Amino acid sequence: MSLHQKLYCETTGCRMAYVVKEIIRSLKKRFQKEGINLTIEQFFILNILDNEDGLILQELAEIVDRDKSAVLRHIDGLEKNHFVTRVTDDEDKRRKLLLVTKQGINVLEKARSVDQQLDKEITGKVENIEIKEFEDALSKMYKFLND
């Protein structure tokens, strides 16, 4: 059965959305199985905060393209689990910088390992040349959509 027959999709975007949804569903199940106390959204946020030193809530909301209140709920959950902390900016006392804690780094590394394993399993079913062509096509689509 082809993806088209299964999903009743005619467009690349629709097909990609279904595949992404299945990857996220699989990742959630694996996080649960491994005892990783993160939502997928929190996993994305931790990845961003780990790669961007000292973001404030507004900057993070812009990166994830969500309103501040939605991002704040995720940050509150991360802070409750001691994965993220808010510290006052030395240069501007009104600003609160979001930083990943040691505990946050540990859970992030575990989650990344699960994510990488799933990625290997998915891409293991596809030839390397096909993966390269797919990544090139995704890059072109992304560039087109952001120009």
Side-chain angles (χ1 to χ4, degrees), residues 8-91:
Y8 307 101
C9 273
E10 298 294 327
T11 65
T12 301
C14 180
R15 291 181 194 124
M16 287 175 56
Y18 273 102
V19 172
V20 168
K21 182 178 177 185
E22 285 303 309
I23 291 170
I24 289 171
R25 187 185 59 75
S26 296
L27 200 52
K28 280 174 149 175
K29 286 170 80 173
R30 289 175 186 225
F31 280 6
Q32 269 186 324
K33 183 179 174 188
E34 295 294 324
I36 297 171
N37 189 18
L38 285 178
T39 66
I40 297 302
E41 295 82 4
Q42 289 173 334
F43 175 55
F44 293 147
I45 287 171
L46 273 181
N47 269 298
I48 292 165
L49 292 176
D50 186 46
N51 286 292
E52 296 281 339
D53 286 339
L55 289 177
I56 61 170
L57 182 62
Q58 179 63 43
E59 294 166 333
L60 181 59
E62 289 170 9
I63 291 170
V64 297
D65 195 26
R66 297 283 184 259
D67 63 279
K68 281 179 20 178
S69 61
V71 176
L72 182 60
R73 285 190 292 277
H74 294 299
I75 294 297
D76 287 344
L78 288 166
E79 193 173 39
K80 180 181 173 191
N81 289 321
H82 308 288
F83 298 153
V84 167
T85 188
R86 297 175 227 210
V87 297
T88 303
D89 186 348
D90 289 337
E91 295 174 13

